[in-house]
Amino acid sequence: MQLNTDLYKMISKAQITEQLPEIRTWYEHLHAHPEPSFQEKETAAYIASGLKKMGLEVHRLPQNAVMGYLQATNAIGTIGLRAELDALPLHEQTNVNYISQNTGTMHACGHDLHMACALGAAKLLSAHKANLKHNVLFVFQHAEEKIPGGAVAVIASDFFKSHKPDVMLAMHSFPDLKAGEVGFRSGPYMASGDEVDVHIKGPGGHAAMPHKTVDTVLTAGQVLVALQQIQSRFIPTEIPSVLTFGNICAESVMNIIPREVLLEGTFRTMNEKWRKKALKQIKQIVQNTAKATGADAETVIRPGYPTIENDKNVTAKIENIATKLLGSKNIHLLPLRMTTDDFGYYAQKIPSAYFRLGVADSNGRSAGLHTPEFLPDPKALETGVSLLVQIIQNY
Amino acid sequence: MQLNTDLYKMISKAQITEQLPEIRTWYEHLHAHPEPSFQEKETAAYIASGLKKMGLEVHRLPQNAVMGYLQATNAIGTIGLRAELDALPLHEQTNVNYISQNTGTMHACGHDLHMACALGAAKLLSAHKANLKHNVLFVFQHAEEKIPGGAVAVIASDFFKSHKPDVMLAMHSFPDLKAGEVGFRSGPYMASGDEVDVHIKGPGGHAAMPHKTVDTVLTAGQVLVALQQIQSRFIPTEIPSVLTFGNICAESVMNIIPREVLLEGTFRTMNEKWRKKALKQIKQIVQNTAKATGADAETVIRPGYPTIENDKNVTAKIENIATKLLGSKNIHLLPLRMTTDDFGYYAQKIPSAYFRLGVADSNGRSAGLHTPEFLPDPKALETGVSLLVQIIQNY
């Protein structure tokens, strides 16, 4: 198998290697200074300052997002690359010397890695404006982790609209693959995620006299059971979907039937049409199951991120470049993920690809995303930067 | 209809009327100084002091109960009369000038009235030791309102054992009847009440990946639904029984399947044999419903008060006396009550009668027991004292 055929048009492997120590410095700085969603002030300033030094046109949103525009002299189009600024409310449990300095906040989803790779690509590519086929819009987006998601504000911004990419990309850490490996998937890849609150209400009363009231706790139980049919009977079997209520709460005592029971859940699916239909059906099942016991019910849906549907052509194109760079043995077909990412908003408007960068060690070991022990293998930095550079210069 | 036939053997109506102002003073003092269950120190001291002045043999338990023994010179037996010392954690909402001085604590179950009536009877009867047929053991019991119930300590005490009544009586306020009316019922009258905690346990996990864990919330819902059959399928239809879970709690969030869901409930029935069988069946249904989803389950039963089963002969005898005193139009057959009282412990060991004293006004209006507006019609004091005196001197 011959690798690297017709890659490295402008930027050589040696140039990337030379850039790595600085990228590593950025990564460690970002890891040590995590900030929560919607509070990424210092991170945004750090990124903006870096992009400016590289000569990019920098635009900042009041919500913290930073966009860096690299204009190619003879561009045939624009490629957008999304990285994320925000960290998670976790107490880091690693022993690296660049451990989080902001106790209780941690980059446990690899956003530090993604930012460092994007900065590295920006630096390397910024020296080649004259020869690049595409402009590049580097989007360092705030608040990926928190509804309504920073993507909404970015997409709505005038700067994004006036520099709108023809293709949108996001590279995200993936502990199921080793550093050096990457994964792609055409079509639906990650789920939509909506928050579903169900309030079951009644007049309340004494536990010994349920006939004088409505048993809201029992009704909540019946609603939970009835809602299983959303997945098992209502949505087509081939569309992965899951409805789970992680919380149930009555705030009562054993002998008082409460006036309200709250169910808090999440509904996820991979098809926007059936997402809408299912949310309507959830309300209908709740309403009528409650009606059967005489309870009142209110279903409040807080719409979350949409499904990420990877464009077939974009995915094929970048997978082809990745295969040339890394060899087909390091390229994986990603399994479907029922987790969510607000990158779905870009994918709804622009042909997009969300692909995964392996971060496990050479034995395939890694703590999970969103755990206090998460720590990408540093080798992933090199793979990440190389891949971004090659995708952009070869797209 | 001729009333009062062969009543008033020793104590005349005029003597009772003469005693009423002092009884009213006791009642208002007790109402103004309520104390919570197991904390009835001042109330106990007040009662003990009163009983001593009347010349009764007084015995106090460290748990606060006060017993006053009135020894008749030529007794053929002993009658026990239970009153209660404790009040409830409620903020009184009445406008009487003897309103609770202990903010947040209130005599909202009529225990002040019961104590005043019992004290009045003790005072009136104490002058007639020579002629009484029965000794009287006045039991001013602590903690009727709180499991395990003061009755347990009273019954276990050496003093109670050595002065053990042949018959045990309790007169309790009843807002469904007017002052001047009373109610009786032979056989089962009030329910047993056991607290049932159900813990549904699993490894916990992400809401989007229920296949990697066990859905403890759904399992709790299925357990709630399955447990309906305790009442509908398991216990004989003619035995009034109710199982209600007033609280359900997961302490989780919408997208995390919790490691534990707690259901807190109460099981009440009117038959001690079926009580035991049903509690066993509850555990079996919980265990196996949980097993079906793969969850672990733990059912913790905190045994509460037993059923109050009124002795047929004792009830007939005192109802007969009450009918002579008040006229049959003021005597009512009590409906079954699914509420509980630790008087059931006495009734398990001694032929007993728990009867009700009307406390509503002449229009039948009264706030409910255990509500902040509860206030007995003061006329009930006269009926209560008269009835106790007549029952004891005519039994």
Side-chain angles (χ1 to χ4, degrees), chain A residues 307-363:
Chain A
T307 307
I308 294 180
E309 181 130 6
N310 282 326
D311 183 83
K312 182 171 67 70
N313 298 326
V314 176
T315 304
K317 210 160 169 179
I318 63 173
E319 184 173 347
N320 184 41
I321 296 168
T323 307
K324 287 177 182 167
L325 176 66
L326 303 169
S328 63
K329 76 171 168 36
N330 291 315
I331 308 298
H332 296 264
L333 173 63
L334 293 169
L336 294 168
R337 297 280 295 178
M338 296 312 291
T339 50
T340 67
D341 189 304
D342 69 351
F343 187 74
Y345 287 116
Y346 302 99
Q348 282 187 328
K349 295 184 180 289
I350 299 167
S352 294
Y354 183 101
F355 58 99
R356 306 298 293 245
L357 177 69
V359 294
D361 68 16
S362 56
N363 295 311

Side-chain angles (χ1 to χ4, degrees), chain A residues 27-282:
Chain A
Y27 165 66
E28 294 187 1
H29 174 88
L30 291 164
H31 186 88
H33 300 89
E35 293 175 297
S37 306
F38 293 106
Q39 299 173 43
E40 314 91 339
K41 292 258 170 278
E42 298 300 323
T43 309
Y46 184 83
I47 297 290
S49 155
L51 293 173
K52 264 179 200 151
K53 277 183 212 150
M54 299 169 197
L56 272 66
E57 180 187 354
V58 175
H59 183 79
R60 298 174 66 173
L61 296 188
Q63 297 91 336
N64 294 336
V66 180
M67 286 177 267
Y69 186 64
L70 178 64
Q71 185 151 25
T73 315
N74 302 300
I76 57 167
T78 301
I79 296 174
L81 176 69
R82 198 283 305 263
E84 317 91 327
L85 298 172
D86 58 333
L88 288 160
L90 286 170
H91 191 98
E92 181 167 353
Q93 304 285 335
T94 75
N95 51 14
V96 293
N97 59 12
Y98 50 95
I99 193 167
S100 168
Q101 301 300 300
N102 301 338
T103 307
T105 306
M106 177 193 175
H107 273 299
C109 196
H111 295 183
D112 45 358
L113 185 75
H114 313 158
M115 286 188 278
C117 289
L119 279 178
K123 173 121 187 206
L124 287 159
L125 292 164
S126 63
H128 298 275
K129 287 183 191 180
N131 300 317
L132 278 174
K133 272 192 300 177
H134 295 86
N135 308 312
V136 189
L137 182 68
F138 293 92
V139 177
F140 293 83
Q141 181 206 298
H142 62 288
E144 183 277 313
E145 299 285 2
K146 203 163 185 176
I147 279 180
V152 177
V154 168
I155 293 167
S157 70
D158 289 338
F159 191 85
F160 187 83
K161 284 177 188 163
S162 58
H163 298 73
K164 194 172 171 186
D166 302 294
V167 169
M168 196 74 195
L169 306 177
M171 178 177 73
H172 198 289
S173 302
F174 194 41
D176 291 13
L177 296 179
K178 294 175 196 168
E181 299 177 326
V182 289
F184 299 90
R185 185 179 186 100
S186 276
Y189 167 53
M190 283 172 77
S192 63
D194 299 305
E195 295 184 13
V196 182
D197 285 0
V198 174
H199 303 261
I200 306 291
K201 298 176 187 176
H206 196 288
M209 286 162 274
H211 64 287
K212 290 192 175 176
T213 182
V214 173
D215 189 340
T216 45
V217 175
L218 171 60
T219 306
Q222 288 174 323
V223 164
L224 279 168
V225 174
L227 284 173
Q228 300 309 304
Q229 64 190 284
I230 287 289
Q231 188 177 341
S232 70
R233 302 290 94 178
F234 184 73
I235 297 174
T237 308
E238 66 274 17
I239 301 174
S241 306
V242 62
L243 173 62
T244 300
F245 289 88
N247 198 23
I248 181 165
C249 181
E251 288 183 356
S252 179
V253 292
M254 64 96 192
N255 61 351
I256 306 287
I257 294 174
R259 293 194 175 173
E260 182 169 335
V261 177
L262 171 62
L263 288 161
E264 294 180 299
T266 174
F267 174 65
R268 297 168 185 223
T269 186
M270 294 246 174
N271 179 299
E272 289 296 311
K273 179 185 133 202
W274 281 96
R275 177 188 178 198
K276 281 196 198 73
K277 290 177 76 157
L279 291 173
K280 208 174 146 192
Q281 185 73 4
I282 288 170

